[in-house]
Amino acid sequence: MAAATRGCRPWGSLLGLLGLVSAAAATWDLTSLHCHFGTFCECDFQPDFQGLECDLAQHLAGQHLARALVVKALKAFVQDPAPTKPLVLSLHGWTGTGKSYVSSLLAHYLFRGGLRSPHVHHFSPVIHFPHASHMERYKKDLKSWVQGNLTACSRSLFLFDEMDKLDPGLMEVLRPFLGSSWVVFGTNYRKAIFMFISNTGGEQINQVALEAWRSRRDREEIRLQELEPVISQALLDNPHRFGAPGCHTTSLSQRRCFSHVPFLQMASGAQAS
Ligand SMILES: *[C@@H]1O[C@H](CO)[C@@H](O)[C@H](O)[C@H]1NC(C)=O
């Protein structure tokens, strides 16, 4: 699952650098200045979109929707100097469609140090929260970790694997951090990126792809609008309901807070990870 196939690197970073330089005038001036001196915590956050796009194009075959969505959502979010809520991406699809690969690529192209960056926090339910009897402690820990890390550094990435196995109680701990109504930690929390990975909706996505194939449509013709409702329904039918719209149960705003990113089942012979 090594994300660092560096095929894109030389050009990617060069172009990325040029992109950064030309964008510097607008949003990046202060940040990049600080980064050169290496003192601010945002410095670890060095998005390289050219590199990301290039790597996705080379190594993520057959996922036109995921590729476009992820890049578009990230760009919009990162270039917004004052986002009103964190970026919440939930990646859905069958095992082996490239979800983990994409998440490690994102870490790699957003943070110096990638998954090993101190600002990238990776949680796997079976590893980090294995015992049902310890759930109360896990909840307390998780809340204080997210809170603590966001207080220390607004540009933090929280990555949750295997959401299907995450205790719903832990999701409830996270929920207040995901919306736009949570003000306790100042504005820091709004620059966070949350990424959730799950198989939920995978079967339904495959079904849509299969029907498209049967009616001889190109895979690339499958649009997000066809998949959004089936993913939403799968999430509602799922007992954990983690990605239901409306981030905070008491929030007045029913704005969708999860961006669903569908991963189609790979045709045989296509690349996956
Ligand atoms: C940040 O999160 C990590 C877990 O990824 C945790 O071990 C650490 O204590 C947290 N830091 C703060 C300041 O809460």
Side-chain angles (χ1 to χ4, degrees):
M1 204 190 65
T5 36
R6 301 259 172 164
C8 291
R9 255 312 173 177
W11 290 109
S13 41
L14 194 65
L15 290 171
L17 210 63
L18 288 174
L20 267 185
V21 169
S22 56
T27 47
W28 285 104
D29 46 0
L30 279 177
T31 316
S32 42
L33 250 183
H34 286 156
C35 287
H36 287 299
F37 297 103
T39 45
F40 284 67
C41 79
E42 285 213 350
C43 303
D44 222 22
F45 186 73
Q46 294 186 345
D48 168 8
F49 287 117
Q50 245 91 19
L52 175 65
E53 283 178 83
C54 172
D55 220 325
L56 286 174
Q58 285 190 355
H59 300 114
L60 188 72
Q63 303 294 356
H64 63 291
L65 287 171
R67 255 168 59 188
L69 265 170
V70 159
V71 170
K72 189 173 154 223
L74 270 175
K75 271 191 178 163
F77 182 72
V78 165
Q79 284 160 6
D80 183 349
T84 56
K85 63 179 249 0
L87 177 64
V88 185
L89 295 172
S90 63
L91 316 189
H92 300 273
W94 211 234
T95 310
T97 49
K99 304 186 299 296
S100 302
Y101 180 69
V102 166
S103 69
S104 54
L105 269 192
L106 291 193
H108 181 72
Y109 284 106
L110 289 178
F111 291 87
R112 204 168 47 187
L115 284 173
R116 281 189 304 277
S117 158
H119 308 297
V120 174
H121 308 278
H122 186 186
F123 300 100
S124 234
V126 286
I127 296 169
H128 296 93
F129 315 112
H131 303 297
S133 55
H134 297 172
M135 212 41 78
E136 288 313 308
R137 207 194 71 219
Y138 295 153
K139 284 196 217 168
K140 253 181 70 203
D141 285 351
L142 183 61
K143 182 173 178 193
S144 91
W145 290 344
V146 173
Q147 208 164 307
N149 280 293
L150 282 181
T151 305
C153 181
S154 58
R155 290 294 186 187
S156 295
L157 169 64
F158 299 93
L159 173 58
F160 292 84
D161 255 344
E162 300 193 271
M163 287 301 289
D164 329 55
K165 299 199 179 80
L166 192 81
D167 187 276
L170 291 170
M171 190 60 215
E172 287 318 306
V173 165
L174 291 177
R175 213 173 276 281
F177 292 99
L178 308 180
S180 50
S181 57
W182 192 254
V183 287
V184 173
F185 316 114
T187 54
N188 249 18
Y189 80 101
R190 294 181 192 158
K191 288 189 176 176
I193 299 175
F194 290 87
M195 220 178 329
F196 299 111
I197 298 182
S198 80
N199 292 340
T200 308
E203 239 165 83
Q204 291 82 347
I205 293 170
N206 293 348
Q207 196 56 38
V208 170
L210 186 65
E211 276 156 27
W213 179 78
R214 283 202 184 117
S215 48
R216 298 174 187 278
R217 288 168 64 205
D218 270 348
R219 191 183 168 88
E220 278 71 28
E221 287 173 32
I222 300 173
R223 292 176 313 134
L224 181 64
Q225 287 84 337
E226 296 170 66
L227 295 172
E228 267 276 332
V230 301
I231 296 174
S232 295
Q233 192 55 48
L235 283 165
L236 287 174
D237 294 343
N238 187 283
H240 293 182
R241 302 185 58 154
F242 71 85
C247 309
H248 196 302
T249 33
T250 62
S251 162
L252 289 177
S253 144
Q254 280 304 303
R255 267 180 61 190
R256 177 183 286 297
C257 90
F258 283 73
S259 299
H260 298 139
V261 183
F263 285 72
L264 304 170
Q265 190 166 34
M266 305 308 295
S268 59
Q271 251 176 318
S273 73

